[in-house]
Amino acid sequence: MMSREQNDFITRTGPGDPAGRLMRRYWQPVALVEEFAGDARPIKAVKLLGEHFVLFRTQAGRFSLMHRHCPHRGADLAFGRLEPQGLRCAFHGWLFDADGQCLETPAEPVTSKLCRHLKHAAFPVVERSGILWAYLGSETPPAFPDFDCFVAPDAYTFAFKGLIECNWLQALEVGIDPAHASFLHRFFEDEDPDAAYGKQFRATSADSDLTMTEVLRTFDRPEIEVEATDFGLRLVTLRHLDENSTHVRVTNQVFPHGFAIPLSEDMTITQWHVPVDDENCYWYAVFTSFSNPVDKVLMREQRLELYELPDYVSRRNKRNDYGFDPAEQARATYTGMGHDINVHDQWAVESMGAIQDRTNEHLGHTDKGIALYRRRLRQEIIAAEEGKAPLLALDAQAAAQMHGPATVDGVSARDDWQRYWPDADARRRDNAPWRTVAKASDD
């Protein structure tokens, strides 16, 4: 258990909150690039870390993020006019360039020098792997680590997002809770692995003919090893199949609010839980393929069956009981909420309340990853408050040395799992066509 003050310390991310100041030391996903595809008016109102912004693309193709309200008298710039030089407020015609510099105040006298001294709050935006990232901090922005999801070429990645109506922390903690998958995501019948493309927990585990649905359903008392790393945490989950073999699943917490997990033998998911405000968050995910280019059309179609545009809201949600069907719960799935595990996760974390009351919880042995992450989160918040660089806020040289992280889902000899997973991860990465090209160009 923890006190309410301790809970607030690690959950609230507004501009005046310690955790909010920590989050502003990192690049934050603010939109998908595809949200601007073919848009005749590329301007979107967005909310991030409790603040309101306007995100727009200039005619030159540059993205810019500004505070949403005009510094003149607070009119909404999301309804502004896009012009070659920038964004013009529709109230009095004040014009701002992509850096926030005021260029014109046309309603003022001709001799006015007001705009020379006026700069609206604007923030850098960069594109990585199909996601637009913004930096809201006052320090020098960190470099992106050379993780697979950032170095793989566009053809081998796919990005998507979805809204979750609760605090970011409880949404993230599902991703570092290996035990829940044997229950929350339990299917009573196995699907055809050949139809598993793009779906979580449907494929066959590496070096075996076992489907993940069978492994999770049958072996529901895992051993979990957790270790601190230079990027966050590594979790190794062991399900002993018999006296000779063990199922090994390697997942990771990526600081501050991400995780990296295997989707299949060929694909991994790197996902961030980004606070909209203290009671809502978006998950942003990059799916990275190590074998063949991603079928982006199929991946998008699969996810649009559940998520509704333009806000990427789940069609199964708390307003319709997540599609709960008691007959399905009796015969087909553990939850009775369909076969998309995103719905299961959303129900679990939203059912805790807008901000989970951790003063009443009782952690178990399998929650060791969550407990360690919370301790580390508190430590890094304090470090940032003291002016120190927090975990994974890297300079370019350090970022270039940060690879992976390893994600594995396979079966090894029972006494060889510690050697098995690094070898399996290295084999997959070394055989990736885009890694081979990168290595050749470095030689």
Side-chain angles (χ1 to χ4, degrees):
M1 297 185 189
M2 63 175 65
S3 69
R4 189 167 303 281
E5 291 75 17
Q6 290 171 326
N7 196 37
D8 287 345
F9 187 72
I10 61 174
T11 57
R12 297 190 178 276
T13 59
D17 298 312
R21 288 190 285 271
L22 173 72
M23 291 296 182
R24 285 163 175 77
R25 299 289 298 271
Y26 299 90
W27 290 98
Q28 298 289 337
V30 68
L32 297 175
V33 175
E34 72 171 36
E35 295 181 66
F36 287 84
D39 198 332
R41 187 176 182 276
I43 304 177
K44 296 186 181 295
V46 297
K47 190 177 184 184
L48 177 65
L49 298 177
E51 296 187 81
H52 293 277
F53 301 96
V54 58
L55 176 66
F56 64 95
R57 186 182 63 220
T58 68
Q59 291 184 0
R62 177 183 172 186
F63 285 96
S64 177
L65 185 76
M66 293 183 187
H67 276 310
R68 183 169 174 177
H69 297 285
C70 179
H72 178 202
R73 285 168 53 193
D76 190 349
L77 288 174
F79 294 88
R81 300 172 59 87
L82 263 183
E83 298 189 1
Q85 291 179 285
L87 184 61
R88 189 182 295 275
C89 180
F91 194 12
H92 289 88
W94 288 22
L95 176 65
F96 303 90
D97 67 16
D99 295 316
Q101 179 62 51
C102 183
L103 302 178
E104 295 179 5
T105 54
E108 295 296 300
V110 174
T111 57
S112 172
K113 300 179 180 179
L114 176 62
C115 68
R116 296 184 186 178
H117 310 290
L118 183 61
K119 189 170 184 179
H120 193 31
F123 306 90
V125 178
V126 298
E127 178 183 343
R128 291 288 188 281
S129 303
I131 296 174
L132 296 173
W133 303 74
Y135 185 73
L136 306 184
S138 57
E139 298 82 2
T140 300
F144 283 82
D146 276 7
F147 288 159
D148 299 315
C149 63
F150 294 135
V151 300
D154 177 73
Y156 289 82
T157 64
F158 168 72
F160 203 74
K161 73 177 187 179
L163 181 68
I164 301 179
E165 297 179 75
C166 72
N167 184 259
W168 70 275
L169 182 57
Q170 63 216 58
L172 166 68
E173 288 179 344
V174 169
I176 53 175
D177 169 16
H180 83 276
S182 284
F183 302 93
L184 187 66
H185 305 316
R186 181 178 297 191
F187 300 97
F188 299 144
E189 294 184 358
D190 303 319
E191 298 181 3
D192 181 0
D194 292 336
Y197 186 85
K199 298 178 182 179
Q200 179 74 352
F201 295 135
R202 303 300 207 288
T204 300
S205 292
D207 303 310
S208 79
D209 58 1
L210 291 172
T211 61
M212 272 301 295
T213 49
E214 181 181 356
V215 171
L216 294 176
R217 181 177 65 245
T218 307
F219 304 94
D220 58 9
R221 293 184 182 271
E223 294 181 16
I224 301 172
E225 305 283 341
V226 184
E227 65 173 315
T229 68
D230 52 4
F231 58 78
L233 303 176
R234 178 179 295 115
L235 300 95
V236 180
T237 304
L238 307 173
R239 289 177 166 87
H240 300 300
L241 308 180
D242 52 42
E243 61 182 14
N244 297 316
S245 59
T246 292
H247 182 271
V248 184
R249 183 171 171 85
V250 179
T251 59
N252 310 272
Q253 194 285 312
V254 179
F255 207 80
H257 51 31
F259 59 73
I261 60 176
L263 176 71
S264 65
E265 187 174 0
D266 296 326
M267 194 175 292
T268 191
I269 306 171
T270 311
Q271 183 164 305
W272 299 265
H273 288 83
V274 184
V276 174
D277 50 36
D278 289 336
E279 298 186 353
N280 299 274
C281 63
Y282 272 106
W283 61 260
Y284 282 82
V286 175
F287 300 78
T288 307
S289 173
F290 290 85
S291 56
N292 300 304
V294 175
D295 187 338
K296 296 176 186 280
V297 173
L298 176 58
M299 294 279 281
R300 185 174 289 106
E301 288 176 349
Q302 289 173 337
R303 280 143 191 84
L304 289 178
E305 291 178 5
L306 176 62
Y307 291 98
E308 189 171 8
L309 303 181
D311 296 321
Y312 296 81
V313 176
S314 173
R315 291 180 171 85
R316 289 175 175 248
N317 53 62
K318 58 187 176 184
R319 287 167 287 280
N320 56 28
D321 291 335
Y322 306 90
F324 175 71
D325 179 354
E328 177 196 309
Q329 189 179 48
R331 297 191 303 266
T333 69
Y334 203 76
T335 63
M337 298 176 186
H339 286 71
D340 194 317
I341 71 166
N342 290 286
V343 178
H344 309 165
D345 287 339
Q346 185 172 346
W347 162 78
V349 298
E350 290 183 352
S351 69
M352 300 173 185
I355 303 178
Q356 181 190 352
D357 181 2
R358 293 175 176 82
T359 65
N360 291 317
E361 71 175 0
H362 299 78
L363 296 184
H365 182 74
T366 57
D367 297 312
K368 60 174 70 175
I370 291 171
L372 181 54
Y373 170 73
R374 292 178 187 175
R375 289 197 297 272
R376 202 158 200 200
L377 176 59
R378 285 193 292 269
Q379 292 169 359
E380 296 303 325
I381 293 173
I382 294 170
E385 291 292 279
E386 294 174 346
K388 302 173 184 176
L391 184 68
L392 211 59
L394 307 172
D395 61 25
Q397 183 177 0
Q401 304 303 314
M402 188 72 68
H403 305 299
T407 65
V408 173
D409 177 353
V411 175
S412 79
R414 184 160 179 158
D415 60 355
D416 196 40
W417 65 266
Q418 290 175 307
R419 186 174 61 178
Y420 168 78
W421 72 259
D423 289 348
D425 176 70
R427 182 171 64 248
R428 178 176 66 173
R429 186 172 289 107
D430 288 346
N431 290 334
W434 47 270
R435 296 290 297 189
T436 304
V437 171
K439 286 192 298 183
S441 64
D442 292 338
D443 293 341

